[in-house]
């Protein structure tokens, strides 16, 4: 039956957009019903028709923004569970903001129960939408048959990861980059997409142009130089196009703006963090009676050293020999309370004071220990590139990676953040961090992905 189905691949984005539009309109219509039947009549000074439309329109805009931020529309790209988790966070945030807006309009704390019932109804709606959309996506867009061209055995880790998404990717064949180039091209033409991993630059350029000429989709693992070029500015010297890589990090104006936002935001949210911080501190004290706060030397901008503040999550004598040792999954040094606060990132909360002091930013590469950074730099001299900006409480690598993502992959993600930096990206990462705290991801080890030692290089 599927063999006679028309090829809808060229319309994938359009169909995804229509699906996203449908769920957004459905959620907005649900709110409109609640607004007209539960809140509109309770206002001291009810709106006229256009005022009501404005309230509903604002809800729609907020829904679009937060669904985009949390990736709730990415059914087919994300696993069903991940897509549903994103929808859950989006619905709660959207309805919380909307309730605050309604209370401001009503000049009082309005009855919260209609919004509670709306939230439960929304969760049922998005659950059904996620399941149906994922099923339709799988039906109309079957997994791509792909070939991987690899230059080293490191590609095995990527193949293992992609093999977990057989609903999207089927790596049907592999070929080494040192094979005859004409044979590689001939093999590539038999598939709908190509993966290139650790392929020598000259060969990669030739194959990339070949794929462009034959409209073949290409997945590439970026090298450090690729990421630097992505952040380049396009300029024209008379009639010659050039790419300008300034390689100076953030400009003075951007750094000043980022610092002001960090300081103001930290002062605003600090009172809201005091109760959960007190609860964590009490739990640590009851657990083993040891100190609550743990200070550790870390690196920030240009290699400057500072003491990062953390809630202690390990035994008091975890490094009694003075040698820095990275924590591992199921590390015996981690306390019972420590395992929980590490999983939910609550051990990082005291770093709000590092942000106020100016040693850290809310968003940036995570600060690394000098000893461990020195070890990484022996194998990856580029590891110091991430210190071109201030270290952060959270970062792109923290929300996109896993707890045990390899240092090289974290480096690439940190550089992607630096090269594509914007204030809006910072806010998106902060909002995504909330999702990560509520729904912590699994590790590669727990998902049966074994990382070869060479991937740390």
């Amino acid at each position: 039956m599927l063999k006679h189905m028309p090829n809808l691949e060229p319309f994938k984005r359009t169909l995804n957009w229509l699906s996203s539009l449908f769920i957004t309109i459905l959620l907005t219509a649900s709110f409109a019903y609640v607004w007209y039947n539960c809140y509109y009549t309770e206002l001291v000074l009810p709106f006229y028709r256009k005022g009501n439309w404005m309230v509903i329109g604002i809800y729609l805009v907020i829904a679009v923004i937060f669904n985009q931020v949390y990736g709730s529309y990415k059914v087919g790209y994300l696993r069903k569970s991940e897509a549903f988790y994103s929808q859950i966070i989006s619905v709660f945030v959207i309805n919380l903001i909307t309730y605050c807006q309604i209370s401001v309009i009503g000049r009082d704390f309005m009855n919260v129960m209609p919004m509670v019932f709306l939230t439960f109804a929304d969760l049922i709606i998005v659950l059904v939408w996620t399941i149906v959309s994922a099923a339709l996506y799988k039906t109309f867009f079957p997994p791509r048959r792909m070939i991987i061209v690899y230059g080293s055995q490191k590609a095995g880790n990527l193949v293992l990861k992609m093999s977990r998404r057989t609903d999207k990717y089927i790596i049907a064949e592999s070929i080494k980059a040192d094979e005859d180039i004409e044979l590689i091209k001939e093999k590539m033409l038999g598939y709908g997409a190509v993966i290139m991993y650790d392929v020598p630059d000259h060969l990669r350029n030739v194959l990339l142009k070949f794929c462009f000429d034959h409209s073949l989709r290409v997945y590439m693992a970026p090298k450090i130089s690729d990421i630097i070029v992505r952040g380049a500015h396009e300029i024209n010297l008379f009639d010659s196009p050039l790419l300008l890589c300034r390689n100076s990090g953030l400009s003075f104006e951007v750094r000043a703006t980022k610092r002001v936002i960090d300081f103001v935001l930290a002062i605003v949210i600090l009172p809201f963090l005091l109760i959960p911080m007190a609860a964590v501190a009490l739990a640590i004290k009851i657990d083993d009676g040891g100190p609550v706060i743990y200070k550790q030397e870390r690196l920030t901008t240009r290699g400057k050293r500072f003491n990062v503040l953390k809630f202690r999550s390990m035994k008091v004598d975890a490094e009694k020999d003075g040698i820095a040792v990275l924590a591992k999954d199921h590390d015996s040094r981690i306390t019972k309370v420590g395992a929980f606060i590490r999983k939910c990132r609550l051990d990082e909360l005291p770093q709000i004071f590092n942000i106020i002091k100016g040693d850290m930013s809310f968003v940036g590469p995570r600060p690394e220990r000098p000893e461990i950074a020195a070890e990484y730099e022996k194998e990856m001299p580029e590891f110091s590139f991430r210190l071109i900006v201030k270290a952060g409480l959270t970062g792109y690598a923290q929300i996109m990676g896993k707890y045990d993502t390899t240092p090289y992959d974290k480096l690439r993600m940190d550089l992607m953040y630096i090269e594509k930096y914007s204030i809006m990206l910072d806010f998106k990462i902060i909002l995504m961090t909330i999702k990560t705290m509520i729904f912590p991801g699994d590790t590669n080890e727990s998902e049966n992905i074994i990382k070869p030692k060479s991937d740390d290089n």
Side-chain angles (χ1 to χ4, degrees):
M1 179 179 176
L2 291 179
K3 291 181 179 180
H4 304 289
M5 186 175 293
N7 180 20
L8 298 176
E9 187 67 30
F11 308 103
K12 180 187 287 187
R13 290 186 180 181
T14 302
L15 294 176
N16 283 344
W17 180 82
L18 290 174
S19 175
S20 303
L21 179 64
F22 174 77
I23 186 63
T24 303
I25 291 176
L26 197 58
L27 293 175
T28 304
S30 300
F31 168 70
Y33 176 84
V34 170
W35 169 255
Y36 277 113
N37 289 275
C38 302
Y39 291 114
Y40 168 67
T41 56
E42 300 298 321
L43 297 179
V44 177
L45 296 172
F47 288 139
Y48 292 106
R49 181 173 57 185
K50 291 182 179 178
N52 294 319
W53 292 354
M54 179 63 72
V55 173
I56 296 170
I58 291 173
Y59 185 92
L60 186 147
V61 171
I62 294 173
V64 170
I65 291 173
F66 281 94
N67 278 310
Q68 288 282 4
V69 167
Y70 287 116
S72 308
Y73 294 139
K74 294 182 178 179
V75 174
Y77 173 76
L78 299 176
R79 288 180 294 187
K80 283 187 290 188
S81 58
E82 293 174 342
F84 183 56
Y85 293 157
S86 298
Q87 290 281 4
I88 290 175
I89 296 294
S90 299
V91 165
F92 274 104
V93 173
I94 293 163
N95 288 349
L96 176 62
I97 293 174
T98 301
Y99 174 73
C100 294
Q101 173 194 350
I102 292 173
S103 295
V104 170
I105 295 171
R107 299 176 176 84
D108 195 2
F109 286 106
M110 304 295 284
N111 184 7
V112 73
M113 292 312 297
M115 292 303 295
V116 172
F117 289 128
L118 174 64
T119 300
F120 279 110
D122 285 345
L123 292 180
I124 295 173
I125 290 171
V126 299
L127 175 60
V128 173
W129 176 80
T130 301
I131 294 173
V132 172
S133 296
L136 291 175
Y137 188 96
K138 186 176 181 179
T139 300
F140 292 119
F141 306 109
R144 257 179 232 287
R145 296 184 74 255
M146 314 166 76
I147 181 173
I148 181 168
V149 183
Y150 65 96
S152 70
Q153 295 303 320
K154 295 180 184 180
N157 190 39
L158 177 63
V159 172
L160 285 173
K161 291 180 180 180
M162 297 185 78
S163 66
R164 293 178 51 250
R165 292 297 308 273
T166 53
D167 58 320
K168 280 187 65 66
Y169 314 111
I170 295 179
I171 302 178
E173 187 173 355
S174 63
I175 186 168
K176 210 165 188 313
D178 57 9
E179 294 282 355
D180 180 72
I181 189 169
E182 295 304 320
L183 176 62
I184 295 175
K185 290 179 180 180
E186 180 184 343
K187 293 280 189 181
M188 286 165 50
L189 288 174
Y191 296 92
V194 178
I195 306 170
M196 283 193 258
Y197 193 98
D198 205 18
V199 176
D201 292 340
H202 173 70
L203 177 61
R204 188 182 68 166
N205 291 341
V206 173
L207 295 179
L208 185 59
K209 293 173 184 177
F210 177 82
C211 291
F212 185 89
D213 188 38
H214 291 81
S215 300
L216 290 176
R217 180 176 294 228
V218 178
Y219 297 82
M220 289 194 308
K223 300 180 181 180
I224 300 299
S225 55
D226 296 327
I227 298 171
I228 293 174
V229 170
R230 284 183 64 196
H233 295 268
E234 298 177 7
I235 63 174
N236 287 288
L237 184 62
F238 300 106
D239 59 346
S240 297
L242 295 176
L243 293 176
L244 171 60
C245 299
R246 290 193 170 91
N247 302 327
S248 57
L250 309 183
S251 67
F252 171 78
E253 295 82 3
V254 172
R255 282 186 282 115
T257 303
K258 187 174 171 66
R259 174 59 186 148
V260 170
I261 293 174
D262 284 336
F263 183 80
V264 173
L265 188 58
I267 294 298
V268 169
I269 70 172
L270 179 59
F272 299 97
L273 295 179
L274 293 178
I275 292 178
M277 288 174 69
V280 172
L282 182 61
I284 294 172
K285 203 67 179 177
I286 293 174
D287 186 31
D288 64 4
V292 171
I293 298 295
Y294 179 64
K295 294 182 179 180
Q296 195 174 70
E297 191 175 59
R298 298 289 180 98
L299 299 176
T300 187
T301 321
R302 304 296 180 184
K304 177 185 175 183
R305 301 190 178 201
F306 74 102
N307 286 321
V308 71
L309 302 176
K310 301 181 69 174
F311 280 125
R312 183 175 58 84
S313 60
M314 289 188 171
K315 298 175 182 177
V316 176
D317 60 349
E319 292 182 351
K320 56 185 178 181
D321 54 3
I323 300 175
V325 180
L326 282 174
K328 300 177 181 179
D329 202 21
H330 308 300
D331 198 313
S332 61
R333 298 173 299 164
I334 299 176
T335 64
K336 294 179 180 178
V337 172
F340 173 76
I341 64 176
R342 288 171 76 96
K343 190 173 183 65
C344 297
R345 309 291 197 270
L346 296 176
D347 60 323
E348 314 287 357
L349 290 181
Q351 290 164 38
I352 190 78
F353 297 106
N354 288 118
I355 295 172
I356 293 173
K357 185 180 177 182
D359 290 328
M360 293 175 62
S361 174
F362 268 105
V363 182
R366 283 296 295 154
E368 195 53 82
R369 300 177 68 174
E371 304 91 336
I372 294 175
E375 287 300 314
Y376 288 157
E377 287 178 26
K378 290 178 182 178
E379 302 294 335
M380 298 178 291
E382 306 93 344
F383 194 76
S384 61
F385 290 3
R386 59 203 295 276
L387 298 179
I388 201 170
V389 299
K390 191 178 292 185
L393 173 63
T394 185
Y396 189 74
Q398 278 60 53
I399 64 168
M400 300 305 295
K402 298 180 183 294
Y403 189 80
D404 57 348
T405 297
T406 63
Y408 185 64
D409 282 341
K410 286 184 178 180
L411 169 61
R412 289 193 290 189
M413 286 188 275
D414 283 333
L415 292 179
M416 286 178 178
Y417 163 77
I418 293 169
E419 294 299 329
K420 289 296 183 181
Y421 177 78
S422 71
I423 298 295
M424 289 306 300
L425 179 58
D426 270 3
F427 280 114
K428 180 176 181 179
I429 290 173
I430 291 172
L431 292 173
M432 285 294 293
T433 301
I434 298 173
K435 175 187 171 183
T436 304
M437 292 176 67
I438 298 175
F439 299 111
D442 294 324
T443 62
N444 283 308
E445 182 178 344
S446 65
E447 294 184 347
N448 299 317
I449 296 175
I450 307 301
K451 303 185 297 303
K453 292 182 179 180
S454 59
D455 259 12
D456 289 339
N457 296 339

